[in-house]
Amino acid sequence: MAQMLDIALPKGRLGETAYDILRRAGYGCPQLEEGGRRLVFENPECGVRYFWVKPSDVAIYVERGAADLGIVGRDILMEYKPDVYELRDLEIGRCRMAVAGKKGFRDNMDRTLRVATKFPAIAARHYARKSREIDVIKLNGSIELAPLLGMSDVIVDIVETGKTLRENGLEPLEDILQISARLIANRVSYRFKHAEVMALSAAVAERIGK
């Protein structure tokens, strides 16, 4: 008998796009599509149970076993390095992690570079590879303000179109990594629900043409 799969979806546009792929792959859930204030949505006929969580929490739910599968951006995987299996690149939510600063910025190698970011681990590894000493300033929002107010020299953040940067007099200086959404699995679930996990992964692959 097939086992139910618990799937953590990130709230917002990315999660909605990911769910549409899953629905078209045969894992739809009418309860979820009805909306409302429910937190858990299930469709026993398809063997799935969904719940919406904050995007940065998806990997935690999967790593801890509260979810068998999850949809998460590569930025989260690279920042927190959760102990999960990365099954597939869904090729949605494409953007990039980049260093940005004021137009015409030139790095003064004689002093420590001040870097504001929501992603301190990614920033630290990037500059460690360059043997550049940095002072990481961890922020949770409005990263673009930091160089404008003189609190940082540059920022490390996600860039989609670059419009927000341009509107604030900033520009990308270098790319760090390309980002897209990934299908991830809990390690124990991958072992004990292997047939169900691989069936869903294969169905998703057909939907995205991979």
Side-chain angles (χ1 to χ4, degrees), residues 18 155 161:
I155 64 174
T161 64

Side-chain angles (χ1 to χ4, degrees), residues 11 30-41 50-53:
K11 294 179 180 178
Q31 283 186 353
L32 185 149
E33 296 165 26
E34 292 171 0
R37 295 178 177 273
R38 296 184 63 154
L39 299 176
V40 179
F41 313 87
Y50 292 105
F51 49 94
W52 296 108
V53 299

Side-chain angles (χ1 to χ4, degrees), residues 192-208:
F192 290 101
K193 297 184 180 181
H194 188 75
E196 291 83 1
V197 167
M198 296 312 295
L200 184 145
S201 181
V204 165
E206 290 185 10
R207 288 295 94 195
I208 61 178

Side-chain angles (χ1 to χ4, degrees), residues 18-205:
Y19 170 72
D20 186 59
I21 292 174
L22 289 162
R23 179 185 59 78
R24 291 186 289 111
Y27 292 88
C29 181
Q31 283 186 353
L32 185 149
E33 296 165 26
E34 292 171 0
R37 295 178 177 273
R38 296 184 63 154
L39 299 176
V40 179
F41 313 87
E42 63 179 61
N43 184 352
E45 292 182 3
C46 293
V48 290
R49 183 183 297 112
Y50 292 105
F51 49 94
W52 296 108
V53 299
K54 186 177 179 180
S56 58
D57 289 343
V58 169
I60 298 173
Y61 277 86
V62 175
E63 182 178 34
R64 295 282 182 166
D68 301 306
L69 299 169
I71 310 297
V72 65
R74 187 181 177 218
D75 53 315
I76 301 299
L77 297 178
M78 296 299 291
E79 176 66 20
Y80 299 106
K81 298 288 187 179
D83 187 20
V84 298
Y85 285 126
E86 183 179 323
L87 300 180
R88 195 167 299 283
D89 182 352
L90 298 182
E91 300 184 2
I92 58 174
R94 288 189 175 280
C95 53
R96 67 189 193 277
M97 185 76 66
V99 178
K102 289 183 178 179
K103 291 183 178 180
F105 171 79
R106 295 292 180 270
D107 190 1
N108 181 355
M109 302 299 291
D110 293 330
R111 64 180 181 82
T112 300
L113 183 69
R114 297 170 301 162
V115 182
T117 184
K118 299 175 186 176
F119 305 93
I122 291 175
R125 287 196 299 269
H126 173 69
Y127 283 104
R129 289 192 294 268
K130 300 161 72 77
S131 299
R132 182 67 170 100
E133 184 178 353
I134 66 171
D135 173 19
V136 175
I137 303 167
K138 175 70 167 64
L139 295 176
N140 296 308
S142 301
I143 301 295
E144 296 82 7
L145 269 177
L148 298 181
L149 300 180
M151 188 168 71
S152 76
D153 301 305
V154 297
I155 64 174
V156 168
D157 201 12
I158 292 173
V159 176
E160 293 186 51
T161 64
K163 181 179 179 181
T164 302
L165 293 177
R166 292 192 297 272
E167 290 181 348
N168 287 282
L170 306 177
E171 62 182 4
L173 302 175
E174 61 176 318
D175 289 348
I176 296 177
L177 58 91
Q178 297 299 312
I179 296 169
S180 59
R182 310 299 168 100
L183 175 65
I184 61 172
N186 171 268
R187 288 183 173 272
V188 174
S189 300
Y190 184 81
R191 179 181 177 187
F192 290 101
K193 297 184 180 181
H194 188 75
E196 291 83 1
V197 167
M198 296 312 295
L200 184 145
S201 181
V204 165

